[in-house]
Amino acid sequence: MSGGVYAAFRSTPPSDHEQQLGHDIEAFMRSSGWFFENQKHTSDRASAFSTVSEICEQWARDQIQSSSVDTDVGHVLQLLTFGSYRLNCFLPGADIDSLCVVASHPQIPITRDRFFEGIVSRLGACTHVQNIVPKTTALVPVVSFDCMGVEFDIGFAKLHVRELPFDIDLRANHFLNNLDERSTRSINGPRVTQEVIHQVPPQIKRSFQFALRCIKLWAKRRLVYGNAIALLPGVALEILLAMCAQMCPSASSVYSLLRSFFEIYASWDWKNLDVKLNVVSVPSSMSSLPPDPSVYDPANPVHSRQPLRIITPVYPPSNTTSRVTELHMECIVEEFQRGLALFKQMEESQRSPPLPLQGALSEDVG
């Protein structure tokens, strides 16, 4: 875990009163039904992932067997999750983003087309799977489907390694070597999630997970969530809260972290400051390549003029909110300010924190 880019906003630990307010918020979150799935849905989600993982692994076993290679399936293919499921911060009904990474074993010729063709066929033969939609020509090719009521997206990336390590850490830049553009885009999701986990101070991991569920529901309820409509995508919210966690490394109370989140971003200098967790450098293996205009560069006026700049923490860096307009930006900042005002009202009136939290999550945007 690094110290982040910006100076600490708050370094003192929460008071006993703030800790109690945090416990009150956690109790409300667990009882409201808004933030956590019930036990059956949690069990169904785990079973669905296990089913999908077994389908992928069995396909890989068949490729190994047909190639007459003596190796463990885990060295050839692994199904990795990323996003809210990997962070353990998902809301009820959330999908599972996943990526099949495969090794470049010379005797096991697995290609993207062969993988998608084989997996679509195997998924179609599974009675638990419905609504299969291949999106293999997209910039980030995936297959979308439902398994046991859980939505999945599975991507594919072939790494230039002979065998996969069992506890693979894709943050290492050498995994980018010799990748085609689609594989580079595909592994970006797990790389970003793994770096977010690395950047959050471990002593406040628990409050981060609770707070992120709140922030995601807040963004949905207040209509500032969604990449397709040029607002805040899930990865942007994860980076926003992770940077807040870096700036408040002692915020072990979910109350303290949530309040700091709204306080920091209600007055952030959006025109001059990027939201970022670290300084991303060009890997040495790529330093001699021509500049890529799609890679975020604060020195590029096209990039620096974007109203909202929340930057991914791995190479190649990108602005997760590049589609946000000036008008949408104003709406987002207003919601940060509204959230902070509700926390201040609670403190002035000494009300219980679930009341302003309910206000922050209200769907009345008037």
Side-chain angles (χ1 to χ4, degrees), residues 315-336:
Y315 191 87
S318 64
N319 180 9
T320 63
T321 48
S322 61
R323 301 177 63 186
V324 172
T325 65
E326 291 281 1
L327 179 60
H328 286 141
M329 176 69 188
E330 292 176 8
C331 295
I332 292 168
V333 173
E334 286 177 3
E335 289 301 329
F336 287 133

Side-chain angles (χ1 to χ4, degrees), residues 89 105 141:
C89 302
H105 196 289

Side-chain angles (χ1 to χ4, degrees), residues 55 60 76 82 89 136 196 218 259 298 313 346:
I55 289 173
V76 176
F82 58 97
C89 302
T136 55
V196 167
W218 161 80
R259 194 197 189 287
M346 183 210 72

